[in-house]
Amino acid sequence: MSKIATREAYGKALAKLGAENKNIVVLDADLSKSTNTAHFAKEFPERFFDMGVAEQNMLGTAAGLAAAGKIPFASSFAMFATGRAFEQIRNSIAYPKLNVKIAATHAGISVGEDGASHQAIEDVAIMRSVPNMTVIVPADGTETEQVIKAAVEMNGPIYIRLGRLALPIIFDENYKFEVGKAVTVKEGSDVTVIACGLMVGPAIEAAEQLAGENIKVKVINMATIKPIDRDAIVQAAKETKAIVTAEEHNIVGGLGSAVAEVLAQTVPVVQEMVGVKDTFGESGAPTELLEKYGLTAKDIVTAVKRAIERKTSL
Amino acid sequence: MDNDALQVLTDKSGAIRRDIVKMLSEAKSGHPGGSLSSADIVTALYFHEMKVDPAKPDWPERDRFILSKGHAAPVLYAALAEKGYFPVEELATLRKMGSRLQGHPSMKHLPGVEMSTGSLGQGLSAANGMALAGKLDGRDYRVYVLLGDGEIQEGQVWEAAMAAGHYKLDNVVAIIDHNKLQIDGPVAEVMSPDPIGDKWRAFGWHVEEIDGHNFAEIIQALNKAREIKGKPTAIVANTVKGRGVSFMENQVGWHGNAPNAEQCTQALCELGGKADE
């Protein structure tokens, strides 16, 4: 199976879209080779601005570019883009609803060896708490390419969460991403696994494994965390009466929380959350970290079984 | 500048100062000190320097003004109203429910406001973005940004200063309203930014230091900024906080307190207006 990191798919998509749309400009904070905005910089140097190691000014400058009609993509690592520059995003971009695309890479613990200082596990929580902000976590290269295109086509601020780690391609050329629309990857009637980002692959793997035990798992790819697809969640809750969420993010405030908010107000059913359990990461190989912090297909299998147990004991 | 032009600006800044005092008194909260200290600078920008059209607030070729020290919103609102962006009567709605005149400027609420500000330190970055876009599009508009002397304690200001110098943004003019007071006391005592001019020079800017209440000096500095190519210009404008109202001048307590009805009447008398004007 071919593999590509979502950051790489982003960089390629951006360079391609840059040729079609002259209003696209790109800003980076001294990480263009890592974030992959370097592809765009090479093709369109006059529309690429390296802002140096200064994320607050980068996001503020992006706001000004957007106010003057440009479509700025601002990139850095998720930790610094959303952490260091949170208030610039909140006050200079989201409040005036400016058309800035924050495409942040190296999200989650799969950053690996750099350790906890660089492993953003809070970014989805803080970005989705800001009014006017759209939040998207693509699952693979195919989806990333479509997300970047959709970001250019929509007007308004958006946060796109990308990863460092090369991931298997899940979706083929027939896949259709739409902002705010969940995609059912696999049908099932016992439990629904709602996943995003690099947990979509393990969710599918878990469902296939559980099929062997005659447990029918529905798998939903919830790329858009905000605005979340309420209808898809409600329908899944009604169909399977149990939900498992899976994300490479703190279980506080991420996809699991977003799904729980919908369930609590609509169809309250059993929910299990697979994610980083409110703890910082550490240095290590990405696969070792995913295993240690409970972000594998095996962890989803366990959560599914727990959900079924809780559902049946109600 | 001839005497007639000077008289026009003097009259206009008087009207703007009276608007500021009246709207703050009506709102019962807000920031008079830094609005009054920057009134002459903002008057010179809107009534002499800038190429703007109140009938076309989105005109792509317009010059832009960003009030980075957003708490001085009254001076911006007064200037926009006096310029004709909206009726002067609307100034009375400042800070009230449903008003387009939010406590701090919001570009989504009010046409003519170029950037939402209020959280200090963010305006220059946005100005740089607009200036970069102008250069990319081959437009010759200029971007003016007003910063407070307390505001430049924010680190982001210096990130932006470095970037404007680096990208040679000669279409950016930063004006520092150096009124020497901030909420906790004299700026020099709270966290001294001195020497202000040298700092901007070190970041690659052309620097002018002027009396921020002298129209001839303000306009001369703005003219000079137009001539400077290849680098942005910073104008350090020495001002008096609360300028024009005797009991507010140089008083730190008038940073963020609105005048009551009696104080408003006295202030309007001093500013050459009538209480019922």
Side-chain angles (χ1 to χ4, degrees):
Chain A
M1 198 184 292
S2 69
K3 284 188 169 188
I4 183 172
T6 51
R7 61 171 167 149
E8 194 183 340
Y10 160 60
K12 287 178 174 164
L14 200 54
K16 199 168 127 190
L17 290 164
E20 296 165 14
N21 191 328
K22 304 281 176 237
N23 274 328
I24 295 175
V25 296
V26 177
L27 304 94
D28 205 303
D30 194 37
L31 289 168
S32 65
K33 289 181 191 75
S34 298
T35 62
N36 278 256
T37 59
H39 299 298
F40 184 96
K42 189 164 170 264
E43 297 289 325
F44 312 103
E46 72 289 352
R47 283 189 273 145
F48 175 80
F49 304 105
D50 202 321
M51 304 310 291
V53 192
E55 296 80 12
Q56 302 174 46
N57 180 51
M58 174 174 74
L59 273 305
T61 305
L65 281 157
K70 298 294 165 195
I71 306 172
F73 277 78
S75 286
S76 179
F77 289 180
M79 186 67 255
F80 316 128
T82 68
R84 177 67 66 96
F86 170 73
E87 210 234 306
Q88 284 72 23
I89 293 173
R90 196 267 190 192
N91 276 322
S92 282
I93 296 173
Y95 175 39
K97 213 174 178 181
L98 287 167
N99 197 22
V100 175
K101 319 300 174 186
I102 305 154
T105 66
H106 294 63
I109 62 164
S110 60
V111 163
E113 293 79 358
D114 275 353
S117 61
H118 286 52
Q119 295 164 347
I121 52 165
E122 312 87 348
D123 53 319
V124 170
I126 57 184
M127 285 297 100
R128 83 182 183 91
S129 72
V130 179
N132 287 342
M133 186 63 72
T134 294
V135 178
I136 299 187
V137 186
D140 75 346
T142 307
E143 186 167 57
T144 299
E145 192 180 341
Q146 294 190 32
V147 167
I148 303 307
K149 193 161 183 287
V152 171
E153 285 162 5
M154 70 170 260
N155 187 19
I158 179 171
Y159 175 64
I160 305 162
R161 184 187 213 232
L162 304 163
R164 169 175 182 256
L165 187 64
L167 302 175
I169 295 285
I170 298 170
F171 304 114
D172 63 21
E173 65 281 3
N174 298 318
Y175 181 78
K176 180 84 187 76
F177 166 82
E178 210 178 317
V179 178
K181 287 270 178 274
V183 171
T184 300
V185 181
K186 192 176 176 307
E187 287 294 353
S189 53
D190 293 327
V191 177
T192 304
V193 177
I194 301 177
C196 68
L198 68 63
M199 293 307 287
V200 175
I204 296 167
E205 196 185 322
E208 283 163 359
Q209 205 177 307
L210 287 160
E213 301 177 37
N214 206 26
I215 298 171
K216 297 183 249 339
V217 179
K218 177 181 172 111
V219 178
I220 288 177
N221 172 29
M222 191 67 82
T224 309
I225 312 295
K226 184 184 173 185
I228 201 152
D229 190 340
R230 295 172 69 91
D231 293 346
I233 295 169
V234 168
Q235 197 192 328
K238 285 179 178 167
E239 278 173 22
T240 64
K241 310 277 191 303
I243 305 279
V244 171
T245 51
E247 62 193 311
E248 190 206 5
H249 185 276
N250 197 349
I251 52 165
V252 178
L255 170 69
S257 297
V259 169
E261 286 159 18
V262 174
L263 293 177
Q265 296 175 82
T266 55
V267 188
V269 297
V270 165
Q271 181 183 353
E272 289 288 327
M273 295 183 187
V274 174
V276 179
K277 290 168 189 66
D278 203 18
T279 178
F280 289 112
E282 63 188 289
S283 291
T287 46
E288 291 175 318
L289 292 171
L290 291 169
E291 196 156 323
K292 174 168 178 183
Y293 289 87
L295 303 172
T296 65
K298 196 178 77 198
D299 298 293
I300 296 172
V301 166
T302 307
V304 165
K305 290 183 175 169
R306 213 161 42 222
I308 290 174
E309 206 177 292
R310 286 178 56 203
K311 177 171 80 164
T312 49
S313 67
L314 279 176
Chain B
M1 190 171 50
D2 63 30
N3 284 339
D4 286 353
L6 180 64
Q7 193 57 48
V8 167
L9 291 177
T10 306
D11 290 349
K12 211 38 113 174
S13 71
I16 285 174
R17 282 198 166 87
R18 292 191 293 276
D19 289 338
I20 290 168
V21 169
K22 278 190 285 186
M23 79 174 100
L24 284 167
S25 179
E26 178 72 29
K28 299 188 175 63
S29 71
H31 302 83
S35 299
L36 292 168
S37 66
S38 55
D40 299 313
I41 297 160
V42 174
T43 299
L45 287 170
Y46 276 94
F47 294 92
H48 183 90
E49 174 71 6
M50 292 202 305
K51 180 181 67 180
V52 292
D53 181 353
K56 294 186 289 178
D58 295 327
W59 179 38
E61 299 288 346
R62 72 193 183 280
D63 290 334
R64 273 88 167 155
F65 172 69
I66 297 176
L67 183 68
S68 192
K69 45 173 283 183
H71 56 282
V75 72
L76 173 60
Y77 295 152
L80 291 175
E82 294 287 344
K83 188 75 181 174
Y85 282 85
F86 59 88
V88 174
E89 294 72 42
E90 195 174 339
L91 293 174
T93 68
L94 173 71
R95 288 177 166 251
K96 292 181 180 162
M97 278 290 283
S99 174
R100 299 193 291 174
L101 279 57
Q102 291 291 295
H104 292 82
S106 166
M107 65 187 291
K108 274 287 171 279
H109 284 81
L110 189 65
V113 173
E114 295 287 357
M115 179 54 57
S116 301
T117 53
S119 172
L120 294 175
Q122 303 195 17
L124 183 55
S125 299
N128 289 347
M130 292 176 189
L132 285 169
K135 284 189 179 283
L136 275 178
D137 292 341
R139 299 189 195 278
D140 66 356
Y141 64 72
R142 296 173 67 72
V143 189
Y144 302 87
V145 55
L146 183 69
L147 300 115
D149 53 0
E151 179 183 12
I152 61 174
Q153 291 159 350
E154 287 280 5
Q156 186 187 351
V157 170
W158 301 103
E159 293 184 2
M162 197 184 296
H166 178 82
Y167 281 107
K168 302 180 169 52
L169 299 180
D170 50 17
N171 47 353
V172 168
V173 178
I175 304 164
I176 295 92
D177 178 14
H178 192 17
N179 63 32
K180 301 163 193 75
L181 290 176
Q182 61 187 113
I183 298 176
D184 276 355
V187 174
E189 289 176 21
V190 174
M191 181 53 67
S192 174
D194 294 327
I196 296 177
D198 287 347
K199 285 195 171 66
W200 291 88
R201 262 179 227 109
F203 280 77
W205 291 58
H206 170 74
V207 175
E208 295 280 321
E209 304 202 29
I210 62 162
D211 173 351
H213 299 303
N214 181 318
F215 285 116
E217 288 192 26
I218 297 170
I219 285 159
Q220 197 177 14
L222 292 169
N223 286 342
K224 182 74 183 175
R226 272 176 198 285
E227 292 166 18
I228 301 292
K229 299 296 173 203
K231 53 165 77 173
T233 293
I235 300 173
V236 181
N238 288 292
T239 59
V240 173
K241 197 152 186 172
R243 169 80 172 202
V245 178
S246 62
F247 58 91
M248 289 184 181
E249 287 191 359
N250 290 316
Q251 297 299 312
V252 75
W254 284 101
H255 171 88
N257 283 304
N260 61 28
E262 195 184 329
Q263 290 163 331
C264 178
T265 303
Q266 190 191 333
L268 290 175
C269 285
E270 291 184 18
L271 291 166
K274 295 183 189 71
D276 59 354
E277 188 188 26

